Short mmCIF file of all heavy atoms in Angstrom, two decimals:
data_model
loop_
_atom_site.label_atom_id
_atom_site.label_comp_id
_atom_site.label_asym_id
_atom_site.label_seq_id
_atom_site.Cartn_x
_atom_site.Cartn_y
_atom_site.Cartn_z
N SER A 1 0.84 -1.20 0.00
CA SER A 1 0.00 0.00 0.00
C SER A 1 0.87 1.25 0.00
O SER A 1 2.06 1.20 0.28
CB SER A 1 -0.94 0.00 1.21
OG SER A 1 -0.20 0.00 2.40
N HIS A 2 0.23 2.35 -0.33
CA HIS A 2 0.89 3.66 -0.37
C HIS A 2 0.20 4.55 0.66
O HIS A 2 -0.73 5.27 0.33
CB HIS A 2 0.80 4.26 -1.78
CG HIS A 2 1.39 3.39 -2.82
ND1 HIS A 2 2.74 3.38 -3.09
CD2 HIS A 2 0.84 2.47 -3.65
CE1 HIS A 2 3.00 2.50 -4.04
NE2 HIS A 2 1.86 1.93 -4.40
N PRO A 3 0.63 4.46 1.93
CA PRO A 3 -0.05 5.25 2.97
C PRO A 3 0.08 6.74 2.72
O PRO A 3 1.07 7.21 2.16
CB PRO A 3 0.66 4.83 4.25
CG PRO A 3 1.92 4.17 3.84
CD PRO A 3 1.76 3.72 2.42
N GLY A 4 -0.93 7.45 3.16
CA GLY A 4 -0.89 8.90 3.06
C GLY A 4 -1.47 9.43 1.76
O GLY A 4 -1.64 10.64 1.63
N GLN A 5 -1.78 8.58 0.83
CA GLN A 5 -2.41 9.06 -0.39
C GLN A 5 -3.89 9.28 -0.12
O GLN A 5 -4.33 9.18 1.02
CB GLN A 5 -2.17 8.08 -1.53
CG GLN A 5 -0.67 7.98 -1.83
CD GLN A 5 -0.40 7.48 -3.22
OE1 GLN A 5 -1.28 7.12 -3.97
NE2 GLN A 5 0.86 7.48 -3.58
N THR A 6 -4.66 9.55 -1.13
CA THR A 6 -6.07 9.88 -0.91
C THR A 6 -6.82 8.77 -0.18
O THR A 6 -7.71 9.03 0.59
CB THR A 6 -6.76 10.17 -2.25
OG1 THR A 6 -6.57 9.05 -3.12
CG2 THR A 6 -6.22 11.42 -2.88
N ALA A 7 -6.45 7.53 -0.41
CA ALA A 7 -7.06 6.41 0.30
C ALA A 7 -5.95 5.45 0.73
O ALA A 7 -5.09 5.11 -0.07
CB ALA A 7 -8.07 5.70 -0.59
N ASP A 8 -5.99 5.03 1.96
CA ASP A 8 -4.99 4.09 2.47
C ASP A 8 -5.42 2.65 2.18
O ASP A 8 -5.48 1.82 3.07
CB ASP A 8 -4.79 4.28 3.97
CG ASP A 8 -3.95 5.50 4.28
OD1 ASP A 8 -3.30 6.02 3.37
OD2 ASP A 8 -3.96 5.93 5.45
N THR A 9 -5.72 2.38 0.94
CA THR A 9 -6.11 1.03 0.57
C THR A 9 -4.94 0.33 -0.09
O THR A 9 -4.00 0.97 -0.57
CB THR A 9 -7.31 1.05 -0.41
OG1 THR A 9 -6.94 1.82 -1.55
CG2 THR A 9 -8.53 1.65 0.24
N ALA A 10 -5.00 -0.96 -0.12
CA ALA A 10 -3.92 -1.75 -0.71
C ALA A 10 -3.88 -1.55 -2.22
O ALA A 10 -4.90 -1.62 -2.89
CB ALA A 10 -4.11 -3.22 -0.38
N ALA A 11 -2.69 -1.28 -2.74
CA ALA A 11 -2.50 -1.18 -4.17
C ALA A 11 -2.49 -2.57 -4.79
O ALA A 11 -2.96 -2.79 -5.90
CB ALA A 11 -1.21 -0.44 -4.50
N ARG A 12 -1.93 -3.53 -4.05
CA ARG A 12 -1.89 -4.94 -4.47
C ARG A 12 -2.13 -5.79 -3.24
O ARG A 12 -1.67 -5.47 -2.16
CB ARG A 12 -0.53 -5.30 -5.06
CG ARG A 12 -0.24 -4.69 -6.39
CD ARG A 12 1.05 -5.27 -6.99
NE ARG A 12 2.19 -5.25 -6.11
CZ ARG A 12 3.19 -4.38 -6.18
NH1 ARG A 12 3.17 -3.45 -7.11
NH2 ARG A 12 4.21 -4.44 -5.35
N ALA A 13 -2.78 -6.91 -3.45
CA ALA A 13 -2.99 -7.87 -2.37
C ALA A 13 -3.03 -9.27 -2.97
O ALA A 13 -3.59 -9.47 -4.05
CB ALA A 13 -4.28 -7.58 -1.62
N VAL A 14 -2.39 -10.21 -2.28
CA VAL A 14 -2.41 -11.61 -2.70
C VAL A 14 -2.65 -12.48 -1.48
O VAL A 14 -2.40 -12.06 -0.35
CB VAL A 14 -1.11 -12.04 -3.42
CG1 VAL A 14 -0.91 -11.28 -4.73
CG2 VAL A 14 0.10 -11.88 -2.52
N THR A 15 -3.11 -13.69 -1.74
CA THR A 15 -3.28 -14.67 -0.67
C THR A 15 -2.27 -15.79 -0.86
O THR A 15 -1.83 -16.06 -1.98
CB THR A 15 -4.70 -15.25 -0.67
OG1 THR A 15 -4.94 -15.88 -1.93
CG2 THR A 15 -5.73 -14.17 -0.41
N LEU A 16 -1.91 -16.43 0.24
CA LEU A 16 -0.97 -17.54 0.20
C LEU A 16 -1.33 -18.54 1.28
O LEU A 16 -1.48 -18.18 2.44
CB LEU A 16 0.46 -17.03 0.42
CG LEU A 16 1.57 -18.07 0.41
CD1 LEU A 16 1.72 -18.69 -0.97
CD2 LEU A 16 2.88 -17.45 0.85
N SER A 17 -1.51 -19.78 0.87
CA SER A 17 -1.76 -20.87 1.81
C SER A 17 -0.68 -21.92 1.59
O SER A 17 -0.44 -22.32 0.45
CB SER A 17 -3.14 -21.46 1.58
OG SER A 17 -3.37 -22.53 2.46
N CYS A 18 -0.03 -22.35 2.65
CA CYS A 18 1.11 -23.27 2.51
C CYS A 18 0.84 -24.68 3.01
O CYS A 18 1.71 -25.53 2.90
CB CYS A 18 2.32 -22.69 3.24
SG CYS A 18 2.92 -21.15 2.51
N ALA A 19 -0.31 -24.96 3.59
CA ALA A 19 -0.56 -26.31 4.09
C ALA A 19 -1.98 -26.72 3.74
O ALA A 19 -2.89 -25.94 3.94
CB ALA A 19 -0.35 -26.36 5.59
N PRO A 20 -2.19 -27.88 3.22
CA PRO A 20 -1.21 -28.93 2.97
C PRO A 20 -0.40 -28.71 1.69
O PRO A 20 0.66 -29.29 1.54
CB PRO A 20 -2.05 -30.20 2.87
CG PRO A 20 -3.36 -29.73 2.38
CD PRO A 20 -3.55 -28.35 2.96
N GLY A 21 -0.86 -27.88 0.79
CA GLY A 21 -0.09 -27.58 -0.42
C GLY A 21 -0.03 -26.08 -0.62
O GLY A 21 -0.77 -25.33 -0.01
N ALA A 22 0.86 -25.65 -1.49
CA ALA A 22 1.03 -24.22 -1.75
C ALA A 22 -0.01 -23.77 -2.76
O ALA A 22 -0.03 -24.24 -3.89
CB ALA A 22 2.43 -23.95 -2.27
N THR A 23 -0.90 -22.86 -2.33
CA THR A 23 -1.95 -22.34 -3.20
C THR A 23 -2.16 -20.87 -2.89
O THR A 23 -1.59 -20.32 -1.96
CB THR A 23 -3.28 -23.09 -2.99
OG1 THR A 23 -3.68 -22.90 -1.63
CG2 THR A 23 -3.17 -24.56 -3.30
N GLY A 24 -3.02 -20.24 -3.66
CA GLY A 24 -3.38 -18.85 -3.43
C GLY A 24 -3.21 -18.04 -4.69
O GLY A 24 -2.86 -18.55 -5.75
N THR A 25 -3.42 -16.74 -4.55
CA THR A 25 -3.29 -15.84 -5.70
C THR A 25 -1.87 -15.29 -5.85
O THR A 25 -1.61 -14.54 -6.77
CB THR A 25 -4.29 -14.67 -5.59
OG1 THR A 25 -4.03 -13.95 -4.37
CG2 THR A 25 -5.73 -15.17 -5.60
N HIS A 26 -0.99 -15.67 -4.95
CA HIS A 26 0.42 -15.26 -5.06
C HIS A 26 0.97 -15.80 -6.38
O HIS A 26 0.66 -16.93 -6.76
CB HIS A 26 1.21 -15.84 -3.88
CG HIS A 26 2.57 -15.25 -3.73
ND1 HIS A 26 3.62 -15.59 -4.55
CD2 HIS A 26 3.06 -14.35 -2.84
CE1 HIS A 26 4.70 -14.92 -4.18
NE2 HIS A 26 4.38 -14.16 -3.14
N PRO A 27 1.79 -15.03 -7.11
CA PRO A 27 2.29 -15.49 -8.42
C PRO A 27 3.20 -16.71 -8.36
O PRO A 27 3.31 -17.44 -9.33
CB PRO A 27 3.03 -14.28 -8.98
CG PRO A 27 3.24 -13.35 -7.84
CD PRO A 27 2.21 -13.66 -6.81
N ALA A 28 3.86 -16.97 -7.23
CA ALA A 28 4.75 -18.14 -7.09
C ALA A 28 4.53 -18.77 -5.72
O ALA A 28 5.39 -18.70 -4.84
CB ALA A 28 6.19 -17.72 -7.27
N PRO A 29 3.37 -19.41 -5.49
CA PRO A 29 3.07 -19.91 -4.14
C PRO A 29 4.05 -20.97 -3.63
O PRO A 29 4.42 -20.94 -2.46
CB PRO A 29 1.65 -20.46 -4.26
CG PRO A 29 1.42 -20.67 -5.70
CD PRO A 29 2.29 -19.69 -6.42
#
């Protein structure tokens, strides 16, 4: 995120789950 701009919202967000397998929206889980 870019704090202090007009909105303190995340510019990018990903999810990552590592158990039992590597999954999520991360580009290289």
Side-chain angles (χ1 to χ4, degrees):
S1 61
H2 302 277
Q5 297 202 355
T6 55
D8 283 345
T9 57
R12 290 188 309 257
V14 296
T15 59
L16 180 66
S17 178
C18 295
T23 61
T25 59
H26 192 285

